[in-house]
Amino acid sequence: MCPRCPGGDEAAMTAAGGTLQPRRPDPGWQLSGPPLPLALTVLAWLGTGTALAGLNKWIFAAHGFRYPLLLSSLHMLAAVALGYPLGWARGPPPSVRPRARIYLLSLTFCGSVALGNLGLSLVPLDAAQAVHATAPLATLLLSALLRGHRHHPLQYVAMGPVCAGAACSIAGGVHFHQPGGCVLLAATVLRALKSLQQSLLLQEDRLDAVSLLCLTALPSFWLLFGAAMALEVAPAWEGVLRYDGSLWGCILLSCLGSVLYNLASFCVLSLTSALTIHLLGNLTVVGNLLLSRLLFGSHLSGLSYLGIGLTLAGMFMYHQPQLVARRWAAWPGHGPPRRE
């Protein structure tokens, strides 16, 4: 089981009892333990996330599956079927359960997954990734609005190149579908809110990944399944039965991948923070492009190279705001005026 790391990354100065406390460092980048567990967890999260997105797009595009809510509910059913035995095998469940937070997380989770799958059924995968690149900005703003976290001004500025760079990296061949883009934008905001809620439960309420999966999977399944029955399956029940066995094999793989992805996400969040996990997602876009160029000789446009540079510059600015501010102040003409 992945270890837990208390604290968060977003707070620059936190008000507590009327006093200001110093900004806590991002635990995703300053772990007290060995970095190997974090690296393996991040790799598992990246691999399952990429495979799950591609497999879901294949289900919608190649097989013509028209039930994104039903697919999301099956993901949650798989989490129930696999999560509860894992929870029983590892010991008794936690005695303290913040039920209100868990139910709110289930609502947010259902909304983000359902809107994400709905948007993925409407737009190409590269367009969906371009919209999802705005997740770090949404997370930063929500952490400031909802949790009162203060950030260095340069960290807000860094979100511009981070989000724009990731979007530009994959925007060369994007054909934008306006309704689908709006759905994906709403899903991205809910994803940011969901990450903040998960981080709160994992780091402050001291839940582990398996416990959080078990506690949220069952309410999420009933919400998604009820919505699927009312909005998708009931009007066209016979359409579900027309699909062949290859589709249901892909759906089974998608369900298994969803469970692994959720567990890996919870582990990454327990070791880092809500904002870090979305920053890693944008950095993955750059890594995939560079690997594709080096290994397969894929062509990258000038816009892609510009996006890579912007993303890397934004990541550096976010994690080293004090250094950037000092260098800017030391630049000729930008420092404080000299006294005569």
Side-chain angles (χ1 to χ4, degrees):
M1 187 54 54
C2 61
R4 291 186 292 263
C5 182
D9 77 315
E10 298 94 343
M13 298 286 287
T14 306
T19 61
L20 292 179
Q21 299 174 350
R23 181 177 69 90
R24 292 172 294 178
D26 185 348
W29 300 96
Q30 298 182 16
L31 280 176
S32 58
L36 183 59
L38 175 63
L40 294 177
T41 306
V42 170
L43 287 175
W45 171 68
L46 295 176
T48 53
T50 302
L52 183 62
L55 185 57
N56 287 348
K57 186 59 184 179
W58 176 264
I59 289 172
F60 294 135
H63 291 277
F65 193 70
R66 306 187 309 275
Y67 307 99
L69 288 175
L70 180 61
L71 179 63
S72 302
S73 68
L74 293 176
H75 287 170
M76 292 299 98
L77 182 61
V80 172
L82 296 177
Y84 275 88
L86 285 175
W88 292 331
R90 62 181 299 273
S95 57
V96 179
R97 300 182 183 182
R99 295 186 182 275
R101 289 180 179 180
I102 289 172
Y103 292 148
L104 286 175
L105 173 59
S106 297
L107 285 173
T108 308
F109 185 81
C110 291
S112 66
V113 171
L115 289 177
N117 281 341
L118 178 60
L120 199 59
S121 67
L122 297 174
V123 303
L125 184 59
D126 51 359
Q129 290 178 332
V131 176
H132 288 161
T134 60
L137 177 60
T139 307
L140 189 73
L141 295 177
L142 286 175
S143 69
L145 291 174
L146 300 180
R147 303 190 63 183
H149 288 166
R150 297 184 182 181
H151 309 268
H152 194 285
L154 286 179
Q155 290 181 314
Y156 289 102
V157 176
M159 292 299 102
V162 166
C163 299
C168 289
S169 299
I170 51 182
V174 168
H175 301 284
F176 196 72
H177 182 272
Q178 187 172 0
C182 294
V183 170
L184 285 172
L185 187 61
T188 301
V189 174
L190 289 178
R191 283 178 61 207
L193 179 60
K194 176 196 70 174
S195 298
L196 289 171
Q197 292 173 297
Q198 290 171 341
S199 180
L200 187 68
L201 287 165
L202 289 164
Q203 296 180 1
E204 295 189 12
D205 292 316
R206 310 302 295 166
L207 295 178
D208 58 75
V210 174
S211 298
L212 185 57
L213 181 66
C214 293
L215 292 172
T216 55
L218 192 57
S220 299
F221 165 72
W222 288 117
L223 287 171
L224 289 168
F225 187 72
M229 290 295 106
L231 301 176
E232 293 179 346
V233 179
W237 173 256
E238 67 279 358
V240 181
L241 304 178
R242 292 176 183 169
Y243 295 103
D244 56 15
S246 61
L247 168 66
W248 292 108
C250 290
I251 289 177
L252 179 60
L253 289 176
S254 177
C255 291
L256 294 175
S258 173
V259 175
L260 295 175
Y261 174 73
N262 286 325
L263 286 174
S265 298
F266 295 159
C267 287
V268 174
L269 278 169
S270 68
L271 291 168
T272 60
S273 65
L275 183 56
T276 300
I277 196 170
H278 292 301
L279 288 169
L280 286 171
N282 279 20
L283 191 61
T284 304
V285 172
V286 172
N288 288 342
L289 285 173
L290 293 177
L291 284 176
S292 179
R293 178 71 178 91
L294 293 174
L295 298 179
F296 305 107
S298 301
H299 174 72
L300 297 181
S301 64
L303 189 62
S304 297
Y305 284 112
L306 175 63
I308 291 172
L310 285 174
T311 302
L312 295 177
M315 292 284 289
F316 178 80
M317 185 184 297
Y318 172 78
H319 288 289
Q320 300 293 334
Q322 302 291 347
L323 177 61
V324 174
R326 287 196 301 268
R327 292 298 178 89
W328 177 258
W331 193 266
H334 295 287
R338 295 182 179 179
R339 295 182 180 180
E340 298 294 339

